[in-house]
Amino acid sequence: MSDLADLPELLPDPSDRPDAAGLPRHDVADLALAAQGRSRIDWADRAMPVLRQIRERFAAERPFAGVRIAACMHVTTESANLMRALAAGGAQVTLCASNPLSTQDDTAAALVAEYGIATFARNGIDRDGYYAHIGAALDAAPHYVFDDGCDLVNILHTERTDVLGGVRGGCEETTTGVIRLRQMAAAGALRFPMVAVNDTDTKHMFDNRYGTGQSTLDAIFRATNTLLAGRTVVVAGYGYCGRGVASRAKGLGAAVIVTEIDPTKALDAAMDGFQVMPMSAAARLGDVFITVTGNRDIVRREHFAVMRDGAILANSGHFDIEIDITALAELAVEVPRRVRPSTDEYVLADGRRLLLLAEGRLVNLAAAEGHPAAVMDMSFADQALTAEWLHTAGRDLIPGVYDVPTAIDKDVARMKIETMGIEIDTLTPAQVEYLSSWEHGS
Ligand SMILES: NC(=O)c1ccc[n+]([C@@H]2O[C@H](COP(=O)([O-])OP(=O)(O)OC[C@H]3O[C@@H](n4cnc5c(N)ncnc54)[C@H](O)[C@@H]3O)[C@@H](O)[C@H]2O)c1
């Protein structure tokens, strides 16, 4: 049920005004790509049955009637289906990109021309254009925001305080964004409730692990066509993403080395059968380096100095700060050469060639298509249901970072296994009684 009586109407909404062609506000690369984009969005939709069910219910119940949502996310076929679900629920949605290299231009075109969703995203846009697009999304004066990495929330609190007062809450998609939000909340800077969608089991246990695991390797193959069998892959960070990447690389026949700073994660990697060592040692051994730490300066000058000729460098962490590209460029004796799409070759003074993929940005989104739709089905079902919850039960929350209610997480898991044809047991009354008592012993 939506009740907008107390939602502030700060600004006249510019995205209400279609242009001469009847299209919503937009800045996309080429509207002629819309038909191709639609066909790819439909293809993703086939693998997203949970989100589809939610979209159908939203279309019937219209929980977001009169609500404006601004989303800053990777503009892919999967997020397009999330935008469709929110729009079906009555929301007026404006989308901008959360990364300059992850935008699928055909998807962006289809969102505008086929689905009437205001969209600001062009693949390869420069830094100024990237932030101008976030600004354009915020011009819609949103009631709720969806973020992936916290850039939009950051801009709201620094440069766009004119629309800050109208925001009632939002959802954050990724680990790095949640970390930034918690820092904002601890500093007393966060001005509205944000829900850490990343932290649901149905998101990070599957999206971060299986999604990043598969799509990161997919991107490395598309960019280099390299063979992993018999090669040494160094995975920096053994969190949810790192575990997925390491296990997939192992499955393809690579010898996997893990680097970590957390003793428990290092132990986990060791007991999963991987070699664990510092980057200073791994740098000499690796053929392929994959960073997924969410931290900066993981692969540095001293590591480049000892790497093998032909070493491949890829990052799947949220920002392009994990591989020290400035140091790599300083070590190079020539201007880097684009030897294949998404692959830049840096030649060092002794003739060794190091291959940087996707300019050090999220490789799985920049050099491939991001996670498969089947896994984003759960992440975006979480997002859609969390937004509905925020707009109803969550409306009295004070500023801070909140967990998604467990009931939503379990609902998404239940719906997903049902769509996969999986049945599970239910507790018997005796089991319920046993689990809630303390008297039973040996
Ligand atoms: N590529 C994608 O599509 C995608 C998907 C989900 C998350 N992410 C991003 O990937 C990053 C990792 O996410 P996660 O969910 O695995 O986080 P996580 O917190 O579960 O894991 C990160 C791991 O990196 C380790 N680490 C930190 N600094 C390190 C260092 N200097 N050397 C080695 N290890 C170090 C931590 O100890 C931790 O175990 C984040 O930036 C997240 O936003 C990317």
Side-chain angles (χ1 to χ4, degrees):
M1 297 295 291
S2 68
D3 170 12
L4 291 176
D6 58 341
L7 284 180
E9 293 294 329
L10 283 185
L11 295 174
D13 179 8
S15 59
D16 269 333
R17 296 184 218 126
D19 66 13
L23 298 175
R25 290 189 310 134
H26 64 274
D27 181 26
V28 301
D30 184 1
L31 286 174
L33 298 172
Q36 175 186 310
R38 183 179 185 125
S39 134
R40 291 183 61 213
I41 292 168
D42 286 347
W43 176 256
D45 181 56
R46 292 191 202 185
M48 304 182 86
V50 177
L51 187 61
R52 190 165 56 246
Q53 282 176 42
I54 293 168
R55 182 175 78 228
E56 286 163 5
R57 178 172 68 74
F58 280 0
E61 297 177 5
R62 307 281 289 174
F64 302 117
V67 169
R68 296 191 294 272
I69 295 176
C72 178
M73 310 191 89
H74 299 294
V75 178
T76 64
T77 54
E78 294 80 19
S79 60
N81 280 312
L82 173 60
M83 299 305 119
R84 288 176 66 196
L86 298 172
Q92 189 181 295
V93 182
T94 309
L95 175 66
C96 65
S98 62
N99 185 297
L101 288 188
S102 62
T103 296
Q104 297 167 358
D105 284 327
D106 53 359
T107 298
L111 279 165
V112 175
E114 301 276 331
Y115 296 107
I117 291 174
T119 303
F120 296 87
R122 288 169 177 262
N123 190 294
I125 197 152
D126 63 15
R127 189 183 155 78
D128 288 348
Y130 172 76
Y131 281 105
H133 280 170
I134 292 180
L138 290 175
D139 285 344
H143 301 117
Y144 296 100
V145 293
F146 284 49
D147 215 347
D148 187 338
C150 196
D151 277 348
L152 179 137
V153 169
N154 190 294
I155 295 294
L156 252 176
H157 284 75
T158 51
E159 293 166 28
R160 290 303 305 270
T161 49
D162 57 317
V163 288
L164 182 59
V167 178
R168 299 190 56 88
C171 305
E172 169 56 52
E173 167 77 3
T174 198
T175 314
T176 286
V178 172
I179 291 169
R180 293 177 82 190
L181 285 171
R182 289 199 198 285
Q183 286 159 355
M184 283 181 79
L190 187 63
R191 296 271 304 277
F192 48 77
M194 284 292 291
V195 187
V197 172
N198 177 74
D199 294 356
T200 58
D201 289 346
T202 44
K203 199 278 182 181
H204 67 263
M205 281 173 61
F206 303 93
D207 167 321
N208 299 28
R209 190 171 177 183
Y210 301 103
T212 312
Q214 177 170 317
S215 61
T216 299
L217 297 187
D218 177 19
I220 293 171
F221 298 147
R222 292 192 201 197
T224 63
N225 198 24
T226 198
L227 178 73
L228 276 197
R231 315 290 296 287
T232 298
V233 173
V234 177
V235 178
Y238 203 65
Y240 284 97
C241 294
R243 271 186 264 168
V245 172
S247 75
R248 265 62 198 146
K250 180 181 180 179
L252 286 160
V256 176
I257 296 173
V258 168
T259 73
E260 253 296 344
I261 44 97
D262 180 319
T264 316
K265 300 288 180 66
L267 202 54
D268 195 17
M271 293 208 183
D272 280 343
F274 300 116
Q275 284 194 74
V276 180
M277 62 183 77
M279 185 59 84
S280 54
R284 297 174 184 279
L285 305 174
D287 298 301
V288 180
F289 293 81
I290 304 169
T291 54
V292 262
T293 68
N295 201 350
R296 60 177 301 162
D297 305 333
I298 304 303
V299 185
R300 302 184 295 267
R301 181 182 298 266
E302 65 265 34
H303 305 133
F304 302 133
V306 298
M307 279 181 185
R308 293 176 172 171
D309 180 33
I312 293 169
L313 308 168
N315 168 52
S316 232
H318 189 78
F319 287 119
D320 57 343
I321 53 170
E322 304 212 11
I323 300 169
D324 186 350
I325 301 164
T326 308
L328 183 59
E330 285 168 6
L331 286 174
V333 291
E334 296 169 10
V335 176
R337 200 163 61 91
R338 181 141 296 185
V339 288
R340 286 171 61 95
S342 306
T343 305
D344 293 334
E345 182 175 81
Y346 288 73
V347 180
L348 308 192
D350 59 5
R352 280 177 303 126
R353 294 156 299 178
L354 301 184
L355 300 163
L356 177 68
L357 306 193
E359 300 168 20
R361 294 190 186 276
L362 282 165
V363 73
N364 61 330
L365 281 139
E369 292 174 72
H371 297 0
V375 84
M376 296 315 293
D377 191 24
M378 290 183 282
S379 308
F380 289 161
D382 283 325
Q383 290 273 16
L385 295 180
T386 299
E388 184 184 34
W389 171 76
L390 253 182
H391 186 48
T392 51
R395 295 184 67 193
D396 296 327
L397 298 175
I398 59 169
V401 182
Y402 292 84
D403 287 336
V404 173
T406 307
I408 289 181
D409 204 2
K410 291 292 173 203
D411 258 1
V412 170
R414 181 186 49 72
M415 290 163 80
K416 188 68 178 176
I417 61 169
E418 279 171 12
T419 66
M420 294 169 77
I422 296 170
E423 293 179 27
I424 59 172
D425 288 321
T426 48
L427 291 170
T428 65
Q431 288 170 337
V432 171
E433 191 273 327
Y434 176 76
L435 290 175
S436 57
S437 69
W438 54 270
E439 293 94 343
H440 298 285
S442 54

